[in-house]
Amino acid sequence: HYLLGMVFAAGLLAVTRPGWIQRPTLGPALIFGVLTVAVPFLVMQPAFGAGIAASRMPRPNAVRLQSLLTHLVFGFGLFVGGWAAHLFYSTGD
């Protein structure tokens, strides 16, 4: 899970180019976090027998909401991490 999170973080940086890490903003990080919910919906949940987007679970909408919320939190973490990296590596500009 941690490795996948790092791959996703690298994906955010690849999509946003150097501009985002020079001045991190919340919007792209949250959008990217929401987009990453496709992995559990389309890969992990079907692999564990829950069906696409938890369609075979007793309360699929609750599972979907939980996945969406946790990936929003991940997006917020990307934003916080971006700002931490920006502050740590800034050259006083």
Side-chain angles (χ1 to χ4, degrees):
H1 222 131
Y2 291 111
L3 179 60
L4 189 56
M6 289 186 282
V7 169
F8 284 156
L12 172 63
L13 294 176
V15 169
T16 59
R17 309 292 171 138
W20 186 82
I21 198 67
Q22 292 169 352
R23 181 72 67 202
T25 55
L26 186 58
L30 288 181
I31 290 168
F32 198 81
V34 168
L35 292 176
T36 63
V37 84
V39 174
F41 281 0
L42 301 174
V43 178
M44 297 304 297
Q45 291 169 355
F48 288 118
I52 294 175
S55 61
R56 294 184 185 153
M57 297 298 291
R59 296 177 52 216
N61 286 335
V63 176
R64 292 172 188 143
L65 181 61
Q66 182 65 42
S67 293
L68 181 62
L69 291 175
T70 56
H71 282 254
L72 273 172
V73 170
F74 172 68
F76 184 74
L78 288 172
F79 171 68
V80 171
W83 264 107
H86 170 74
L87 293 174
F88 185 75
Y89 290 110
S90 71
T91 57
D93 43 6

